[in-house]
Amino acid sequence: MFYWNKTNFDGLKQIAIEYKEDEDLKLFAEYCHYRDTGIRKIAFQKIEEFIKYCESCSLEKQQNISLFLLEIIYRNQEIHTLISDPLKKYLVKIMQFRASSQGESLAYQWLGYLCNNIDMYEKGLKLDPANQICRKALLNSDFNELDWQTHHLHESLFIGTLDHALSTLKHACILLLELSDPNDKKLFEEKYLYYKEIISAWIQYKKSNMTVSFCDWCKENELKFKPYQTLYYEK
């Protein structure tokens, strides 16, 4: 039988096994073990012990451990309990220190990831235009914005201004130019072309007499876009 959280627990088990002998990460591995087995109280004790161990190290070593751990967390985002709130706060503190003391792209990249902060990603990319994590995060942000603006078009409603959408589309196009991974580039280019086409269709629709809905106008013009379903709730 399929269990929706199986990937999370399998991942915790694998991380626990992989790092149980690591001098710096063995307490983190124990946290993963106890989260996997469902013993939350001991798991959170272990993460507190891990943070205290890190804090007993030099600042340089704390940063190295944090950077290594962030790579693990980023590569395993399907393990949604891999990072607890106390650990997140600690990692944010270390990356804030690194950003203020070194002003490097990597620190802003991880602050963007930990805090879901677009401004941090933008700073990271400005410091290092080759930073692909920052670039992809900003592309995702642009396409999420475009998705939000267009998700009521099936009701012939465009959210926000067309100028804002066109500006976002242009920004995404610029970001795409230096995306290095071919698979990522193909995926994002498909998204870019989709939103470019649907926004172009909306512009043409607005220029028409608009006697029919946008959906019917698209059918008449043999244009196909992904279906949306809007749910309204009564108070």
Side-chain angles (χ1 to χ4, degrees):
M1 185 177 73
F2 174 76
Y3 175 48
W4 70 271
N5 214 14
K6 185 176 185 299
T7 302
N8 175 62
F9 287 114
D10 286 349
L12 287 169
K13 185 179 295 182
Q14 184 58 41
I15 296 293
I17 293 169
E18 189 170 350
Y19 295 101
K20 65 180 180 180
E21 303 297 333
D22 188 284
E23 180 183 352
D24 294 322
L25 296 179
K26 59 186 179 183
L27 285 169
F28 179 71
E30 288 184 37
Y31 159 77
C32 293
H33 167 71
Y34 287 111
R35 280 310 303 257
D36 170 45
T37 54
I39 310 176
R40 289 166 55 89
K41 184 177 180 179
I42 298 179
F44 290 126
Q45 288 174 354
K46 293 299 177 182
I47 208 66
E48 292 291 350
E49 289 176 24
F50 173 65
I51 293 169
K52 286 179 182 177
Y53 164 75
C54 291
E55 290 174 336
S56 72
C57 300
S58 67
L59 273 172
E60 182 181 3
K61 186 169 184 178
Q62 287 188 64
Q63 291 176 70
N64 291 337
I65 293 172
S66 297
L67 290 171
F68 188 78
L69 188 58
L70 281 162
E71 287 285 351
I72 295 172
I73 293 166
Y74 184 79
R75 291 197 310 268
N76 295 278
Q77 294 181 50
E78 71 281 2
I79 311 175
H80 61 86
T81 55
L82 195 55
I83 181 167
S84 64
D85 191 56
L87 179 59
K88 180 179 176 180
K89 289 178 180 177
Y90 169 74
L91 292 172
V92 167
K93 181 178 71 173
I94 295 299
M95 289 303 107
Q96 285 174 335
F97 169 79
R98 190 176 179 92
S100 62
S101 62
Q102 300 187 28
E104 62 164 8
S105 175
L106 190 61
Y108 287 109
Q109 165 194 302
W110 291 129
L111 284 172
Y113 175 67
L114 288 165
C115 304
N116 192 26
N117 189 311
I118 292 302
D119 290 341
M120 294 295 102
Y121 282 127
E122 287 177 345
K123 285 183 180 179
L125 189 63
K126 186 176 181 180
L127 287 165
D128 179 12
N131 187 315
Q132 297 297 297
I133 288 178
C134 288
R135 189 171 293 275
K136 287 189 289 185
L138 291 171
L139 276 165
N140 278 321
S141 175
D142 282 348
F143 291 129
N144 286 340
E145 180 71 15
L146 291 167
D147 188 65
W148 177 75
Q149 285 198 260
T150 58
H151 81 282
H152 276 284
L153 286 184
H154 66 291
E155 297 178 303
S156 302
L157 295 172
F158 190 90
I159 299 173
T161 68
L162 188 58
D163 284 345
H164 179 74
L166 292 171
S167 176
T168 303
L169 201 60
K170 183 179 179 181
H171 184 251
C173 183
I174 293 169
L175 288 170
L176 273 168
L177 294 175
E178 295 186 47
L179 200 59
S180 60
D181 184 272
N183 293 326
D184 287 336
K185 194 159 192 172
K186 183 176 182 295
L187 175 66
F188 283 118
E189 281 178 344
E190 288 173 355
K191 289 186 177 183
Y192 171 77
L193 290 173
Y194 174 83
Y195 289 110
K196 182 181 178 181
E197 289 172 6
I198 198 170
I199 290 170
S200 177
W202 176 254
I203 292 171
Q204 294 304 312
Y205 170 71
K206 292 287 285 183
K207 289 179 181 178
S208 72
N209 56 23
M210 295 173 60
T211 56
V212 296
S213 70
F214 179 67
C215 286
D216 289 340
W217 182 87
C218 286
K219 288 177 184 177
E220 290 174 4
N221 289 272
E222 298 182 345
L223 298 172
K224 292 183 179 181
F225 300 109
K226 66 182 180 183
Y228 285 98
Q229 182 180 18
T230 306
L231 301 177
Y232 293 99
Y233 297 91
E234 293 183 3
K235 291 184 179 181

